[in-house]
């Protein structure tokens, strides 16, 4: 057991650090949940991509560096320590890309991945529906067979960044007569600018259009945009959520950097002993999350699956993120009420953590049933 | 990087678990609490055969150590099985004796006996409180007072602990073995080791409380179903697992560095997680959990004292966040 980085990993860290020091914008970009900020973030993605830092873990042919999970973690630590912008491409990179690597055809990979890596095409996730959140398998949007493809109709919602994104990936019901709800579903990609798609931005708590509702009215999707076998959508959509997402949805680098900034803020604002304990908890939480991730990465590198354990991860970082931001707001005092500033925006974003990516109630059920072996309850 | 136990380390833990599981530790704990250290000492002797007490003793004194990762593995198991006695203090005393500048005589006398399991040694350090754990059963009691380390001559009457299996005494008199800055530095390292091993023990206590509670809620029925079917029950146990599973990597991170701040983080997280697991265990066992008859009480009563021994949560937090200074202590290493 060790925590040693190899000389090669250290060199990679140094290279990333130097590049970031030279390129990270001196002023924070405007919020990526605004039109102007979205464009600025897209430009940043192009800059990252130009020197192959956008998707370091992908194979080189798709714009990556083909590095393993440890180097990916190193990169993420450096990325956030350098104060680099949030990733506008993350839904595509974290959710769609792993699925494409596992289930897509070579043609699909060659067509979709490079423009995703460069930020030229930003992807939105269209899973949730108004009536299907936690019970996602109850979804009703349909894809009906037509000449050379499928016609989509129905409604998707809460689609992050869809207000400004280009394309979306989602699950649709192709066999309404299948015996079970998660059968007869098909996973496919569609263009948000295609005829029949209406995108209605939704303002989140701070008014920014961070997500959108999608109305689909006989939207044509060619066969080449179906991922895997039709009817097999549920299995395909779920197959990458445990393993990859448990490790990569939120990298520890992000929280280590945030905890450092919190400690700095605490000192700047007079090192109030009454808040010290919460600052300490933030530092410890970030370290715990980093080491937990190193352990999972070690398992992953050894060829093990990270399954239901990813639910531990999700509950931990989402609760952690809120506590960290609440502490920062307390330190800001009267200024906490001001809607601008990174802590205020971070706080609003953190509040959604226990809701998206499977609510924490659902994650706790998974932990209790699959990790602790408690009896299944009613769903 | 491979931040995982190797097969030998994992097997060592399983061996201890099997051995302690077969040894009937609850009876030994109850006897220990009543002042009969016989069964407890028999348990120590069996533990010593696996090498547990040699792990903290350097090879030159007939030990195997120091082997912090193996120590962490072992002390999690000692916690899971509620092994009675000054297990933490004996290992910390070994670390102290091994480093005492003028204490060679004492080291020669006690270290081989510690390694072989023949000697139980307690340790009191003014900074951590006035009491020496299990001084009545111990073969020697070391006392740290400022920068002076002495071997106590005796002790006062029993001061009852909230956990009757932790027997507390104020040590009295005795000869000074060493003093000065080197002794103080040795004491600081021994105290860190005590905190580290207490963290491991806490994690074990928490894991066992959770295991017993999961078993219980799977059997106990109300409203026609196992109570483990109810989400309010499940979610509390899920949270207990989250706490424990995020304390574990901190513990092993501390084992690899033995850095004071890493140890404080591990101690804080493990102590709090075990305490929360104890609260959940007590609640979910209903009234039966509030009795001393049920063996669960042996672990329930440990959670709080272990959380506070060798560094309360407040002390750990204060160590982690000095009012001035740079980024978190571990940031430099992780930043290469
Ligand atoms: C900021 C943000 C971004 C999002 N981005 C996307 C996106 O990009 N793409 C996308 O597809 N979706 C997205 N979502 C949607 C998200 O995945 C859903 O909100 C989530 O799955 C919960 O569904 P719901 O909102 O319908 O709540 P519901 O499922 O109606 O749940 C309401 C409450 O009831 C609880 N509940 C429901 N069922 C149970 C149960 N069996 N046991 C216990 N409690 C239960 C839930 O935990 C929750 O607290 C996003 C959400 C947010 C907030």
């Amino acid at each position: 057991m060790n925590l040693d980085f190899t000389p090669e990993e250290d060199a990679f860290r140094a290279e990333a650090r130097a590049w970031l020091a030279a390129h990270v914008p001196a002023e924070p970009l405007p919020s990526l949940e605004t039109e102007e900020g979205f464009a600025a973030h897209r430009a940043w993605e192009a800059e990252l991509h130009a020197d192959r830092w956008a998707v370091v873990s992908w194979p080189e042919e798709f714009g990556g560096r083909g590095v393993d999970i440890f180097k990916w973690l190193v990169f993420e630590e450096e990325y956030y320590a350098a104060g680099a912008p949030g990733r506008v491409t993350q839904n595509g990179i974290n959710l769609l890309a792993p699925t494409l690597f596992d289930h897509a055809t070579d043609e699909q990979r060659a067509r979709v991945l490079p423009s995703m890596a460069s930020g030229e095409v930003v992807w939105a996730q269209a899973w949730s529906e108004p009536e299907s959140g936690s019970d996602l398998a109850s979804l009703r949007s349909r894809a009906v067979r037509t000449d050379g493809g499928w016609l989509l109709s129905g409604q998707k919602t809460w689609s992050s960044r869809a207000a400004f994104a280009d394309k979306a990936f989602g699950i649709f019901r192709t066999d309404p007569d299948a015996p079970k709800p998660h059968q007869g579903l098909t996973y496919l990609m569609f263009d948000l600018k295609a005829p029949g798609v209406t995108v209605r931005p939704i303002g989140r708590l701070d008014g920014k259009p961070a997500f959108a509702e999608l109305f689909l009215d006989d939207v044509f999707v060619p066969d080449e945009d179906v991922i895997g076998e039709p009817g097999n959508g549920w299995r395909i959509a779920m197959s990458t959520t445990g393993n990859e997402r448990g490790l990569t949805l939120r990298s520890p680098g992000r929280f280590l950097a945030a905890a450092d900034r919190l400690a700095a803020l605490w000192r700047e604002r007079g090192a109030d002993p009454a808040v010290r304990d919460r600052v300490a908890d933030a530092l410890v939480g970030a370290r715990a999350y980093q080491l937990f991730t190193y352990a999972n990465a070690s398992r992953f590198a050894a060829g093990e699956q990270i399954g239901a354990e990813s639910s531990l991860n999700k509950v931990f970082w989402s609760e952690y993120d809120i506590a960290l931001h609440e502490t920062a707001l307390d330190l800001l005092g009267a200024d906490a009420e001001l809607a601008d500033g990174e802590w205020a925006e971070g706080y609003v974003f953190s509040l959604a953590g226990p809701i998206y990516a499977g609510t924490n109630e659902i994650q706790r059920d998974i932990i209790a049933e699959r990790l602790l072996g408690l009896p299944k309850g009613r769903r | 990087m491979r931040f995982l136990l190797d097969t030998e380390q994992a097997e060592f833990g399983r061996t201890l678990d099997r051995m302690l599981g077969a040894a009937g530790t609850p009876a030994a704990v109850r006897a220990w609490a009543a002042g009969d250290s016989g069964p407890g000492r028999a348990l120590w002797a069996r533990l010593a055969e696996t090498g547990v007490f040699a792990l903290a003793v350097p090879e030159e004194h007939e030990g195997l150590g120091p082997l912090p990762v193996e120590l962490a593995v072992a002390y999690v198991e000692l916690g899971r099985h509620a092994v009675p006695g000054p297990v933490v203090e004996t290992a910390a005393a070994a670390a102290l004796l091994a480093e005492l500048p003028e204490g060679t005589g004492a080291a020669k006398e006690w270290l081989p006996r510690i390694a072989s399991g023949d000697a139980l040694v307690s340790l009191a350090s003014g900074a951590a409180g006035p009491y020496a754990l299990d001084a009545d059963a111990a073969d020697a009691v070391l006392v740290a007072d400022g920068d002076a380390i002495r071997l106590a001559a005796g002790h006062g009457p029993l001061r009852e602990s909230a956990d009757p299996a932790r027997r507390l005494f104020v040590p009295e008199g005795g000869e000074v073995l060493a003093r000065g800055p080197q002794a103080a530095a040795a004491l600081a390292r021994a105290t860190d080791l005590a905190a580290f091993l207490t963290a491991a023990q806490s994690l074990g206590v928490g894991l066992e409380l959770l295991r017993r509670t999961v078993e219980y809620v799977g059997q106990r029925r109300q409203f026609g179903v196992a109570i483990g079917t109810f989400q309010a029950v499940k979610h509390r146990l899920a949270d207990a697992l989250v706490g424990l599973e995020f304390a574990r990597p901190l513990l092993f991170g501390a084992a690899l560095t033995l850095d004071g701040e890493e140890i404080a983080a591990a101690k804080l997280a493990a102590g709090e997680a075990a305490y929360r697991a104890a609260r959940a265990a007590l609640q979910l066992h209903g009234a039966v959990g509030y009795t001393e008859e049920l063996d669960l009480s042996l672990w329930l009563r440990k959670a709080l004292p272990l959380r506070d021994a060798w560094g309360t949560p407040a002390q750990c937090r204060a160590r982690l966040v000095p009012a001035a200074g740079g980024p978190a202590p571990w940031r430099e290493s992780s930043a290469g």
Side-chain angles (χ1 to χ4, degrees):
Chain A
M1 161 173 266
N2 67 69
L3 282 173
D4 304 333
F5 289 100
T6 62
E8 207 196 319
E9 285 159 353
D10 286 339
F12 179 75
R13 187 188 288 281
E15 191 189 347
R17 187 181 289 185
W19 189 89
L20 289 160
H23 290 81
V24 169
E27 287 294 307
L29 302 182
S31 165
L32 61 79
E33 314 293 7
T34 62
E35 188 161 11
E36 177 206 5
F38 197 89
H41 279 78
R42 204 198 276 268
W44 164 250
E45 291 292 330
E47 195 174 340
L48 271 177
H49 178 255
D51 289 326
R52 289 192 303 120
W53 292 109
V55 283
V56 292
S57 62
W58 289 14
E60 293 187 17
E61 57 180 309
F62 301 122
R65 292 175 177 243
V67 305
D68 68 6
I69 187 93
F70 293 112
K71 279 194 185 153
W72 175 79
L73 283 165
V74 163
F75 174 73
E76 291 280 305
E77 285 174 12
E78 291 303 318
Y79 188 87
Y80 287 102
R87 301 293 303 272
V88 73
T89 49
Q90 62 175 345
N91 275 2
I93 290 174
N94 288 330
L95 292 168
L96 178 58
T99 307
L100 294 179
F101 283 122
D102 285 355
H103 300 282
T105 63
D106 288 345
E107 183 277 323
Q108 287 174 321
R109 283 194 280 261
R111 178 158 51 86
V112 174
L113 293 172
S115 60
M116 182 193 290
S118 67
E120 196 184 324
V121 174
V122 177
W123 289 82
Q125 179 200 15
W127 286 17
S128 303
E129 297 185 6
E131 305 293 327
S132 299
S134 301
D135 185 12
L136 182 62
S138 70
L139 62 89
R140 293 193 300 212
S141 292
R142 293 171 65 158
V144 178
R145 201 87 188 82
T146 186
D147 216 18
W150 302 79
L151 290 175
L152 311 185
S153 49
Q155 191 184 345
K156 295 285 180 179
T157 191
W158 313 128
S159 195
S160 289
R161 289 175 278 284
F164 311 114
D166 308 290
K167 294 191 177 184
F169 51 97
I171 324 170
F172 290 81
R173 194 162 295 287
T174 40
D175 179 6
D177 301 325
K180 296 219 171 107
H182 46 271
Q183 293 171 355
L185 299 172
T186 297
Y187 201 19
L188 44 78
M189 304 177 274
F190 59 98
D191 196 331
L192 287 170
K193 314 269 173 351
V197 180
T198 308
V199 179
R200 190 183 75 84
I202 308 173
R204 69 173 178 194
L205 283 181
D206 63 0
K208 296 192 179 105
F211 36 32
E213 215 169 0
L214 312 176
F215 299 91
L216 307 168
D217 185 12
D218 281 344
V219 180
F220 177 74
V221 173
D223 281 325
E224 68 205 42
D225 282 343
V226 172
I227 307 170
E229 284 290 299
N232 212 6
W234 183 259
R235 204 184 58 78
I236 293 167
M238 294 301 133
S239 70
T240 42
T241 54
N243 226 348
E244 293 281 350
R245 208 163 165 193
L247 279 170
T248 57
L249 180 63
R250 287 283 172 269
S251 68
R254 178 192 181 105
F255 298 116
L256 287 165
D260 280 349
R261 288 206 316 280
L262 181 70
L265 180 69
W266 178 71
R267 289 192 185 100
E268 257 165 60
R269 299 261 163 167
D272 181 356
V275 192
R276 179 209 298 260
D277 284 2
R278 291 160 66 197
V279 175
D281 289 347
L283 291 175
V284 171
R287 178 62 164 170
Y289 187 56
Q290 179 189 37
L291 293 175
F292 182 88
T293 307
Y294 285 170
N296 270 343
S298 302
R299 288 179 50 196
F300 187 75
E304 278 182 53
Q305 296 281 316
I306 315 294
E309 289 90 341
S310 65
S311 296
L312 295 170
N313 207 45
K314 163 79 206 305
V315 171
F316 184 85
W317 66 249
S318 57
E319 304 285 1
Y320 170 84
D321 203 20
I322 294 179
L324 179 131
H325 281 89
E326 284 172 345
T327 307
L329 295 191
D330 280 359
L331 288 169
L332 291 175
D335 289 346
E337 195 182 331
L338 300 177
D340 62 353
E342 57 170 342
W343 288 114
E345 168 122 19
Y347 171 68
V348 172
F349 184 62
S350 76
L351 289 176
I355 300 170
Y356 63 77
T359 69
N360 283 10
E361 285 73 28
I362 300 296
Q363 303 306 312
R364 287 185 174 101
D365 277 352
I366 295 174
I367 293 168
E369 290 168 11
R370 300 208 210 138
L371 298 179
L372 293 174
L374 290 172
K376 257 194 172 316
R378 271 202 58 204
R379 281 279 185 289
Chain B
M1 176 190 299
R2 191 172 183 280
F3 189 49
L4 291 175
L5 294 178
D6 64 31
T7 39
E8 267 171 51
Q9 289 162 338
E11 183 50 34
F12 177 50
R14 281 192 292 271
T15 304
L16 283 174
D17 180 33
R18 275 193 298 273
M19 193 273 272
L20 290 168
T25 43
V29 182
R30 290 184 188 280
W32 191 277
D36 171 11
S37 58
R41 288 200 75 120
L43 198 59
W44 275 59
R46 298 188 58 184
L47 276 170
E49 286 167 24
T50 69
V52 166
F53 299 110
L55 296 172
V57 176
E59 287 181 38
E60 70 208 74
H61 292 289
E62 296 170 38
L64 299 167
L67 289 171
V69 173
E70 282 73 6
L71 274 167
V73 169
Y75 277 67
V76 169
E77 294 307 324
L78 300 187
R80 282 187 56 211
H81 293 278
V83 170
V87 284
V88 163
E89 291 70 16
T90 294
L96 180 59
L97 286 168
E99 287 197 38
L100 277 189
E102 308 106 39
T104 11
K108 274 206 182 109
E109 179 183 353
W110 291 103
L111 288 175
R113 292 186 59 193
I114 289 176
S116 71
D118 170 54
L120 281 62
V121 181
S122 194
L123 172 68
S125 161
Y131 306 114
L133 183 64
D134 302 318
D136 60 336
D139 301 285
V141 177
L142 294 176
V143 185
D145 246 330
D147 70 352
I149 316 285
R150 61 176 216 274
L151 196 60
H155 57 76
L158 172 71
R159 305 289 310 273
E160 263 181 56
S161 158
D163 173 8
R166 287 172 59 86
R167 299 168 62 80
L168 305 178
F169 301 88
V170 177
E172 290 170 349
E175 52 162 320
V176 170
L177 292 177
R179 72 164 74 242
Q182 249 183 299
L187 176 68
R189 280 191 292 276
T191 312
D192 275 348
L193 186 72
F196 166 63
L197 297 178
T198 307
Q201 213 184 357
S202 282
L203 180 61
V205 164
L207 289 169
E208 181 62 11
L209 284 163
L210 178 59
R211 189 192 68 77
R212 285 177 179 254
T213 309
V214 165
E215 191 175 277
Y216 181 76
V217 303
Q219 292 162 7
R220 173 73 176 168
R221 295 172 73 84
Q222 293 291 328
F223 305 99
V225 292
I227 57 173
T229 315
F230 302 128
Q231 276 187 333
V233 170
K234 278 185 182 164
H235 288 193
R236 193 144 183 192
L237 294 173
D239 282 336
L241 185 66
V242 171
L244 294 165
E245 288 306 329
F246 279 85
R248 188 196 299 272
L250 287 172
L251 179 71
F252 286 100
L256 292 175
T257 59
L258 286 187
D259 168 82
E261 279 87 3
E262 300 266 10
I263 289 172
K267 175 77 177 64
L268 172 65
E272 298 271 39
Y275 178 68
R276 281 197 302 274
R279 290 283 320 280
L282 174 64
Q283 183 68 22
L284 299 181
H285 274 79
V288 71
Y290 197 65
T291 64
E292 66 173 348
E293 266 162 52
L294 193 70
D295 279 348
L296 185 79
S297 66
L298 305 181
W299 286 266
L300 279 180
R301 294 196 289 213
K302 287 202 184 313
L304 186 65
L306 289 181
R307 186 189 74 167
D308 295 339
W310 298 106
T312 62
Q315 288 165 337
C316 293
R317 290 182 171 112
R319 181 151 188 195
L320 284 160
V321 186
W330 39 78
R331 290 292 283 151
E332 273 319 299
S333 62
S334 74

